[in-house]
Amino acid sequence: MLDKDIARVIYTPEQIQDRVKEIARRINEDFAGEQVVVIAVLRGSVIFFSDIFRNLTLDCEADFISVGSYGKGATSGELKLKKDISADIKGKNVIIVEDILDTGKTLKFICDLLSQREPKALRVCVLLDKKCEKQSEVKADYVGFEVEDTFVVGYGLDYADRYRNLPYIGELKTDIWRK
Ligand code: IMP
Ligand code: MG
């Protein structure tokens, strides 16, 4: 039913799972013997986060943050903190898990906020890195896939809070998001 709004499947569930396992393997290697706080950026990253998290063999905590835009629509306006994390991250290794790096404003906001709390390490893990003009200096340490500058949904990513439950990552037909 939701499939009819999808122009094409970009990444299949199998491709996503292979990539998730590879990223988790790298995180396990990079932080071997250390404790890590893994933070999901609500809500788009929760499915990706769950898959990454269950593949980690490290001693880790799960936490959640939510950042919202004052503006409306698909692009982010000025940002505000809607829900803070619960953990005290001072001196701890932190990995932020986000669905997509578009302009980078969301991750810049979160990285600036969390780095003030003096974590031991602060890393960024994104499912998708969109090829576009990045307005900020945030670079992801772990990237699932690169995508073209088009609107994608599924595997947690939404358009107007729909399509998150699609098992694949697909391109949303332009007549849906341009209308
Ligand atoms: P940024 O702050 O411009 O990097 O935007 C990141 C946020 O915009 C993500 O957390 C997504 O919620 C949303 N976003 C940007 N591009 C897409 C897309 O193609 N599909 C779904 N959400 C998107
Ligand atoms: Mg988001």
Side-chain angles (χ1 to χ4, degrees):
M1 193 194 83
L2 292 173
D3 294 322
K4 69 175 187 340
D5 298 344
I6 305 302
R8 67 187 176 100
V9 173
I10 306 174
Y11 295 108
T12 65
E14 294 73 26
Q15 288 174 309
I16 298 168
Q17 286 315 310
D18 285 351
R19 198 67 195 125
V20 162
K21 292 210 173 82
E22 173 55 23
I23 291 172
R25 193 193 58 75
R26 280 187 43 213
I27 295 174
N28 286 328
E29 217 173 78
D30 292 351
F31 291 93
E34 306 221 23
Q35 292 181 321
V36 181
V37 183
V38 191
I39 301 174
V41 181
L42 297 173
R43 289 170 284 170
S45 81
V46 292
I47 296 180
F48 176 52
F49 169 86
S50 316
D51 283 346
I52 289 281
F53 197 72
R54 79 182 90 193
N55 278 286
L56 297 180
T57 50
L58 305 165
D59 181 358
C60 48
E61 280 177 66
D63 213 324
F64 302 88
I65 194 166
S66 180
V67 168
S69 162
Y70 287 103
K72 282 214 170 72
T75 52
S76 26
E78 214 190 318
L79 296 169
K80 60 178 172 185
L81 182 66
K82 289 188 359 193
K83 187 223 166 288
D84 202 349
I85 54 169
S86 314
D88 176 5
I89 57 168
K90 190 169 176 157
K92 292 187 184 170
N93 297 304
V94 172
I95 300 173
I96 304 164
V97 181
E98 170 64 314
D99 54 0
I100 187 164
L101 185 57
D102 186 2
T103 65
K105 280 186 199 162
T106 307
L107 277 166
K108 172 85 169 59
F109 180 91
I110 294 170
C111 287
D112 285 351
L113 179 81
L114 298 185
S115 59
Q116 288 166 19
R117 301 179 189 172
E118 300 169 30
K120 180 178 175 190
L122 187 62
R123 300 277 183 271
V124 170
C125 172
V126 293
L127 171 65
L128 302 171
D129 191 358
K130 210 182 249 195
K131 287 190 210 151
C132 65
E133 285 272 306
K134 298 271 194 290
Q135 291 177 2
S136 75
E137 62 269 31
V138 173
K139 271 206 151 205
D141 301 284
Y142 307 97
V143 177
F145 306 99
E146 280 206 335
V147 281
E148 297 300 320
D149 193 1
T150 172
F151 207 84
V152 295
V153 293
Y155 192 64
L157 288 118
D158 75 304
Y159 174 68
D161 277 314
R162 298 174 64 216
Y163 309 102
R164 292 192 200 273
N165 52 321
L166 288 174
Y168 54 80
I169 296 163
E171 183 182 332
L172 191 63
K173 286 183 179 168
T174 43
D175 58 309
I176 308 267
W177 58 273
R178 285 230 174 98
K179 73 185 169 197

